[in-house]
Each structure stands twice: as C-alpha cells, then as structure tokens.
Amino acid sequence: MLRVLIADDHEIVRRGVRDVVTNHPGWEVCGEASEGSEILAMVEAQQPNVVVLDVSMPGLNGIAVTRQIRQLLPATEVLLFTMHDDDETVTGGLAAGARGYLLKTEGETQLVGAIAALAVHRPYFSPAIAEMLLDATVHDRAKSRLETFTLRELEVAQLIAEGCSSKQIARKLGISIKTVESHRAAAMRKAGVRRAAEFVRFAIKHNLIRA
C-alpha cells in the first residue's frame, strides 16, 4: 500500500488530494496537516512514501519542511503542490530535496502521474516547470538566493517576516538571542536587504509567508 501524507492549509485542497488518493487502488492517506510545524512529527510517526506539500504554509514554510523531511527520512519523496511558479521558489524547493513540483492549475491526471512517479523515486514536474528547468540548464543563471539559506536561517527568516522579535524567535526555536541575531544578520545579508520592512517584502516575494 502506497502511503501518502497531505499538507496544505486549505481544507478544500486537502479534500481534493484526499479524494484522488483514496480513489486510486493501492493508495491510502496516512495523515493530513494544515501547518508546517505539524508535519515533521507526523512524517516520523507515519513513514509515508510520498508527502504532497504546499510551499506557503503557516508555522514553517514548505521549503524548510522539505529539507527536514529529506534529512529525517531520505526514502520519503516530497511533491511540492503549489501555485507558485517563479524561478527562485522552484529552484529553492528542488535544492531542498523535493523531486516533484506540480502546479495547482494541473488536473487530476497530472496529480496521479506525479504521485505514481515519486512512488518509484522518479522526478515529476508540471510541463511549465520542466520547461523552466530546461532553460536553466541551457542558460547560465545566478544561484537562487533561497538555495544559499541554511535550514535555521529559513526558520528565522520566516519568523522575522511574521513580525517576531529576536526574543520571541529565541524562545520558539530554543536558541539564544545572540544566535538569533547571528542568523538574522546572515539571512538579511543573503536576501540583500537591511531593514525589516524590506525583508518582509523579500519573504512575500519568495513565498515564505503570505501577503
């Protein structure tokens, strides 16, 4: 039985993916999550074969979650199922370890194809994403700024953009304020900004938080 975990903060999306999975012989939904912070414990407990995951998630964004899933369970494949098709989000997600990237504008047939491909550890991309990746291999491109962020910097970046103070971030992540400030400085340098308001715009642009 192929075990699929669904993570999206919209119930209607989870319901649609759930219907596709449960209607397919030999597939089952082993869990659902609506917040990024819920996913890792669920993945560890359920050991899914495939995680269908949105990029923009409250609590912890999908790129950071993907990186942790791949570190925790290398055999579990991640399908980023999202509306975001910009170059930096795509390359950031793939650099984090996702092997599938499907736009929500695709139909049920493509979703089935994506899950089936990842189930046997083959990559799967929406045609528009595949074309983008092909173009990137042909033409030189600057490294996505999201690719340069460490996992901790991604976590701190999201919390900064959500308006948390250094003290609040330190408490949430269980690290010192001095360490938070170090990660904050590194994240803002990599984002190419100096002020918190600019960083919020960067986070929105790169889908770490919703506008």
Side-chain angles (χ1 to χ4, degrees), residues 117-135:
L118 291 178
V120 293
H121 305 290
R122 288 192 291 106
Y124 190 100
F125 308 109
S126 286
I129 301 303
E131 185 174 349
M132 177 192 299
L133 295 172
L134 179 60
D135 287 344

Side-chain angles (χ1 to χ4, degrees), residues 1-206:
M1 183 70 72
L2 182 73
R3 296 167 59 77
V4 180
L5 190 147
I6 305 166
D8 195 293
D9 60 334
H10 291 104
E11 166 62 26
I12 193 168
V13 174
R14 295 199 307 275
R15 186 184 308 136
V17 177
R18 184 194 314 139
D19 288 346
V20 169
V21 172
T22 55
N23 288 334
H24 194 285
W27 293 4
E28 68 174 2
V29 174
C30 64
E32 295 184 30
S34 59
E35 292 191 9
S37 54
E38 301 173 340
I39 301 170
L40 295 176
M42 197 174 294
V43 166
E44 191 168 17
Q46 297 297 329
Q47 305 271 312
N49 302 104
V50 177
V51 177
V52 179
L53 170 66
D54 194 4
V55 170
S56 297
M57 293 282 291
L60 192 63
N61 64 80
I63 292 175
V65 170
T66 297
R67 193 176 296 182
Q68 293 193 57
I69 289 173
R70 297 296 290 161
Q71 291 174 354
L72 183 67
L73 291 173
T76 294
E77 298 285 5
V78 176
L79 171 64
L80 290 176
F81 185 48
T82 180
M83 63 182 179
H84 303 300
D85 61 356
D86 61 285
D87 180 76
E88 291 219 6
T89 302
V90 173
T91 54
L94 299 183
R99 301 245 299 158
Y101 202 105
L102 189 70
L103 299 177
K104 288 181 177 178
T105 51
E106 305 287 3
E108 179 178 336
T109 300
Q110 286 75 26
L111 179 57
V112 170
I115 295 173
L118 291 178
V120 293
H121 305 290
R122 288 192 291 106
Y124 190 100
F125 308 109
S126 286
I129 301 303
E131 185 174 349
M132 177 192 299
L133 295 172
L134 179 60
D135 287 344
T137 63
V138 174
H139 303 98
D140 291 336
R141 69 169 178 86
K143 191 174 186 180
S144 164
R145 279 180 286 181
L146 287 179
E147 292 180 62
T148 69
F149 279 61
T150 66
L151 175 59
R152 185 62 85 186
E153 287 165 1
L154 278 172
E155 292 176 315
V156 170
Q158 180 168 355
L159 292 170
I160 293 171
E162 289 174 354
C164 294
S165 67
S166 293
K167 185 176 180 180
Q168 290 171 321
I169 295 171
R171 185 168 60 249
K172 284 176 179 287
L173 299 182
I175 57 179
S176 70
I177 294 177
K178 183 177 180 181
T179 301
V180 170
E181 292 296 340
S182 176
H183 289 311
R184 175 194 288 267
M188 294 186 78
R189 184 182 69 253
K190 291 177 180 181
V193 301
R194 294 185 178 182
R195 295 189 295 273
E198 294 174 324
F199 197 86
V200 170
R201 287 194 290 272
F202 172 86
I204 292 170
K205 178 182 177 182
H206 294 88

